[in-house]
Amino acid sequence: MERPRQLPLDLGHGTAYSRDDLVVSASNAQAATLVDRWPDWPAPVVVLAGPAGSGKTHLAEIWRDAADAIVIEAGKVAQGAAAFDGRPVLIDDIDAGAFDQQGLFHLINNVRGAGSHLLLTARRFPAAWGTTLPDLASRLKAAATVEIHEPDDVLLAGVITKLFADRQIEVEPHVVQYLVRRIERSLATAMRVVERLDRMALEQKARITRTMAADAVSAMDEGQGEFEL
């Protein structure tokens, strides 16, 4: 007889972006050091560049909280430049789409003039943003750019372990290592697989095992990212 399934409740496990939640390894150590040493920065404008899922947003949120920075959407740079009041500024995913180059140029000038700071996160280095405004290109060349690499094994294992601990779930180390070897090297994917396994364990009223982890990874590989409840 098939075991009864329990309907898991959504307890609202949000993404934690505090400094205590940051796992540091060789792949993000330089960026973490830069964020921690603010306001002693090498330049008024800093770019954190790295692939999707490498933890740029987490680092940016840590800095935003520490610096009491205002957040400007990449598509509203001109409005942000006009409303600039001297506080530090964060623009996340500046290269996700087209942005107002003239607006960014004015914002950088305002930040420099006020002795403030601007943090930009992007998937690519500034030279690959397709900047056509010479003055802006010059300003971006003067920015301090720090690369964040894809999560390494140490970082992925630490993140997965912490995500389970945040949900008060005990998982054997060999299960964590299995996940590290099998999932996409992305912090976003780590969050998704932990959430999925949490739901599976609740549904089956069972501990998370390597077999359960294999089922979760296989389902995600097949594009079944969500449960059909």
Side-chain angles (χ1 to χ4, degrees), residues 12 21 24 27 32 40 45 56 75 78 113 124 227 229:
D21 291 302
V24 179
S27 63
D40 181 21
V45 181
K56 299 186 299 294
R124 299 163 297 172
F227 281 92
L229 299 176

Side-chain angles (χ1 to χ4, degrees), residues 7 20 167 210 229:
L7 182 66
D20 291 339
R167 293 169 179 263
R210 184 185 179 283
L229 299 176

Side-chain angles (χ1 to χ4, degrees), residues 153-167:
D153 288 357
V154 174
L155 180 57
L156 268 183
V159 167
I160 291 170
T161 300
K162 189 170 194 321
L163 289 170
F164 279 126
D166 288 344
R167 293 169 179 263

Side-chain angles (χ1 to χ4, degrees), residues 56 74 91-99 121-125 128-129:
K56 299 186 299 294
I91 303 178
D92 202 12
D93 287 329
I94 184 68
D95 65 337
F99 60 89
T121 73
R123 295 189 181 188
R124 299 163 297 172
F125 289 98
W129 293 358

Side-chain angles (χ1 to χ4, degrees), residues 21-226:
D21 291 302
L22 181 69
V23 178
V24 179
S25 76
S27 63
N28 65 353
Q30 185 180 5
T33 298
L34 183 76
V35 167
D36 285 342
R37 64 182 282 193
W38 182 85
D40 181 21
W41 274 7
V45 181
V46 168
V47 178
L48 294 184
S54 59
K56 299 186 299 294
T57 296
H58 191 163
L59 286 160
E61 280 297 305
I62 292 170
W63 177 77
R64 181 199 60 75
D65 183 62
D68 190 28
I70 61 172
V71 179
I72 296 176
E73 295 179 21
K76 298 181 179 179
V77 177
Q79 297 94 312
F84 177 72
D85 61 1
R87 290 169 59 192
V89 178
L90 165 65
I91 303 178
D92 202 12
D93 287 329
I94 184 68
D95 65 337
F99 60 89
D100 185 335
Q101 296 187 30
Q102 193 71 42
L104 183 57
F105 172 69
H106 288 309
L107 178 60
I108 291 176
N109 284 345
N110 290 344
V111 166
R112 288 161 57 106
S116 190
H117 290 101
L118 169 63
L119 177 63
L120 305 167
T121 73
R123 295 189 181 188
R124 299 163 297 172
F125 289 98
W129 293 358
T131 303
T132 57
L133 185 65
D135 288 339
L136 175 59
S138 176
R139 292 287 187 268
L140 291 175
K141 284 181 181 178
T145 300
V146 178
E147 183 177 10
I148 306 174
H149 302 278
E150 287 186 341
D152 54 22
D153 288 357
V154 174
L155 180 57
L156 268 183
V159 167
I160 291 170
T161 300
K162 189 170 194 321
L163 289 170
F164 279 126
D166 288 344
R167 293 169 179 263
Q168 299 182 329
I169 301 172
E170 292 186 10
V171 179
E172 295 292 333
H174 70 88
V175 176
V176 174
Q177 289 304 316
Y178 174 84
L179 292 172
V180 168
R181 293 193 300 271
R182 294 296 190 277
I183 68 171
E184 175 186 293
R185 307 197 71 77
S186 147
L187 302 188
T189 301
M191 288 187 278
R192 285 177 54 226
V193 76
V194 167
E195 180 180 8
R196 187 176 188 97
L197 283 168
D198 186 8
R199 286 175 173 264
M200 290 175 70
L202 284 171
E203 233 185 20
Q204 300 174 25
K205 298 183 180 178
R207 288 177 59 85
I208 295 174
T209 63
R210 184 185 179 283
T211 300
M212 189 184 294
D215 291 341
V217 172
S218 294
M220 290 173 65
D221 286 345
E222 293 168 6
Q224 301 172 15
E226 300 294 334

